[in-house]
Amino acid sequence: MLLAPLVPIVTGWDVRARTKPADTFPPLNALWEPHVGLTTLPAVLLAVLGWRYAFSLAATLEWRRLLLVSYGAALAWMLALAWIGPIGIGDVLGHRIEILPVAREIDDVGATMREFINRIPYSAAPDNWPTHVAGHPPGALLFYVGLVRIGLGGDLSAGFVVTAFGATTVVAVLVTLRSLGAETAARGAAPFLVLGPMALFMGVSNDALFAAVAAWGLAALALGATRSGRARVGWSVLAGLLLGWLVMLSYGLPLMGLVAVAVLLAARSWRPLPIAAVTALAVVLAFVPAGFVWWEAMPVLRERYYDGVAGARPAAYWVWGNLAALCFSAGPMVGAGLGRLTVLRADSDRVVGLLVGGALAAVVVADLSFMSKAEVERIWLPFAPWLLISVALLPERWRTWGLAGQLVVALLVQHLLNTRW
């Protein structure tokens, strides 16, 4: 975390964290812009109260109340941090490179699907898709088209929907851990999942939406693996639907399959796999008759990706700069948690180790693919909570002061930088 911002400054190395290098703060896609905001005081108050009471509440609350309190606190923390910055929760989704403005213009979904791949390359100008439409399969666009159709297509209203749904990621991760017999670990990790720097990038980010879909897909898979009879079938089908839709939201998120395998290993059951896999494949194949073929679109996107700024971003920096950006997002304690993977004593530790290992493998593959160079503080949000649960392995005294560090990093980043999220 310390080297990644310093190396470009000391060496004068333009690592192209943004298209315009002035006042940038690599490895984050951010500008150096110290400020205070409307919710500075509420955010500081939430941080103090969270540090004081989060661990005792996580340890003592009845399970359902813990889930409700975790969701409410996560949402409040995300909103408080968002309104410190100059962007808030309305401006990002309405930007010209985003998906929402395109969704407002679509009146023929069938035609959009048929021409989707042809409009990905830069060579399709002036009709090529904006950056974030081109960079994702059409599932993301269809989600926003749905919001527009039900009257939630304004910048602010869509921002609230995305933020509210993104905050459920915490709940899904806790449900997954408990379903796999690791409730103690879930309670130990809950304060870190709720509070910390991850919320900076979860607020009004498409990738927060993806993180929530991924987390609920894995939660459904865990429930399918630990239930019997009709319940197993139902949860397995739901897992397939969510994880299949996840593939249609982001080209990089089939890598969540590595975490899905870890879930099944932790449950010691492969019974949900055939049902979930067939259902997920059916979701992906359902787009083919409409004109979108995922495996044909991927190489077209890769060409556009390297025709843009990514082609100028030096791999020698980003292969490790990406990992530093992830530490800004998940928080510095994620490194300490990962360091404890060599000390797995209880069965719940084994569950945590498997889930963290799956997420870590996904991050390594994503990093070495060089399809992720910069901006991973948000792009890797679906992986971040599964890495962060490793803090449950830390001694209690580490976790108490570690949470304070996470909160301080979140407040400093949001007050010193314009992260755009």
Side-chain angles (χ1 to χ4, degrees):
M1 283 181 67
L2 295 176
L3 284 176
L6 289 176
V7 167
I9 294 172
V10 172
T11 64
W13 194 3
D14 181 5
V15 298
R16 303 298 295 271
R18 291 171 61 92
T19 53
K20 296 180 180 179
D23 298 323
T24 59
F25 189 85
L28 302 181
N29 183 27
L31 299 174
W32 180 261
E33 194 175 289
H35 59 275
V36 294
L38 178 67
T39 53
T40 289
L41 290 179
V44 171
L45 179 61
L46 277 173
V48 172
L49 292 175
W51 181 74
R52 174 65 179 82
Y53 295 108
F55 288 106
S56 59
L57 290 174
T60 59
L61 281 177
E62 184 268 332
W63 181 253
R64 291 185 180 180
R65 289 186 178 179
L66 174 61
L67 296 182
L68 288 173
V69 170
S70 295
Y71 174 73
L75 181 59
W77 181 237
M78 287 166 64
L79 292 173
L81 289 176
W83 272 311
I84 290 171
I87 300 297
I89 70 164
D91 293 349
V92 170
L93 292 182
H95 193 276
R96 58 182 176 80
I97 69 169
E98 287 290 340
I99 301 173
L100 183 59
V102 175
R104 293 177 184 138
E105 299 173 0
I106 291 177
D107 52 17
D108 188 338
V109 172
T112 300
M113 291 299 99
R114 288 190 295 273
E115 65 186 16
F116 196 91
I117 295 177
N118 291 334
R119 293 179 64 180
I120 293 175
Y122 279 118
S123 59
D127 295 325
N128 60 315
W129 296 119
T131 302
H132 282 203
V133 178
H136 297 88
L141 177 60
L142 293 179
F143 170 79
Y144 287 105
V145 169
L147 287 187
V148 171
R149 298 283 173 88
I150 63 174
L152 294 174
D155 292 356
L156 189 60
S157 55
F160 271 117
V161 170
V162 171
T163 306
F165 186 49
T168 68
T169 303
V170 173
V171 179
V173 174
L174 297 179
V175 168
T176 303
L177 287 169
R178 188 172 190 254
S179 300
L180 296 173
E183 181 177 335
T184 300
R187 291 180 180 272
F192 292 87
L193 293 169
V194 171
L195 302 166
M198 193 164 56
L200 292 171
F201 309 99
M202 291 287 284
V204 197
S205 166
N206 294 321
D207 301 276
L209 175 71
F210 307 159
V213 173
W216 283 112
L218 294 173
L221 188 65
L223 289 166
T226 54
R227 299 296 187 272
S228 59
R230 292 182 180 179
R232 174 186 294 144
V233 174
W235 286 116
S236 300
V237 169
L238 179 59
L241 290 172
L242 290 171
L243 295 175
W245 190 256
L246 183 67
V247 172
M248 303 310 297
L249 290 174
S250 172
Y251 291 102
L253 290 183
L255 289 174
M256 289 301 298
L258 294 172
V259 190
V261 170
V263 167
L264 297 177
L265 286 171
R268 295 185 171 93
S269 173
W270 296 96
R271 292 182 179 179
L273 181 59
I275 298 172
V278 169
T279 306
L281 182 61
V283 173
V284 175
L285 293 179
F287 282 78
V288 174
F292 179 82
V293 184
W294 192 97
W295 50 91
E296 291 181 359
M298 180 64 179
V300 180
L301 170 65
R302 185 178 182 87
E303 181 180 345
R304 169 164 173 159
Y305 182 69
Y306 278 96
D307 284 344
V309 67
R313 285 171 172 162
Y317 175 83
W318 289 109
V319 72
W320 58 275
N322 281 342
L323 303 178
L326 176 63
C327 289
F328 273 101
S329 180
M333 287 305 293
V334 72
L338 293 176
R340 293 285 294 184
L341 291 180
T342 56
V343 187
L344 303 178
R345 296 187 177 91
D347 284 346
S348 61
D349 291 353
R350 172 185 169 273
V351 171
V352 172
L354 284 168
L355 296 180
V356 173
L360 187 59
V363 165
V364 169
V365 173
D367 195 33
L368 296 180
S369 73
F370 294 116
M371 283 296 287
S372 296
K373 288 197 289 184
E375 304 182 51
V376 298
E377 63 269 18
R378 61 169 183 81
I379 295 172
W380 287 354
L381 281 174
F383 307 130
W386 304 100
L387 295 172
L388 194 55
I389 61 174
S390 63
V391 297
L393 304 174
L394 295 171
E396 184 176 346
R397 65 183 183 278
W398 281 50
R399 284 187 278 128
T400 301
W401 290 105
L403 181 62
Q406 297 276 100
L407 291 164
V408 169
V409 168
L411 291 170
L412 285 177
V413 169
Q414 191 67 334
H415 282 91
L416 296 177
L417 304 176
N418 176 359
T419 64
R420 299 182 65 247
W421 304 101

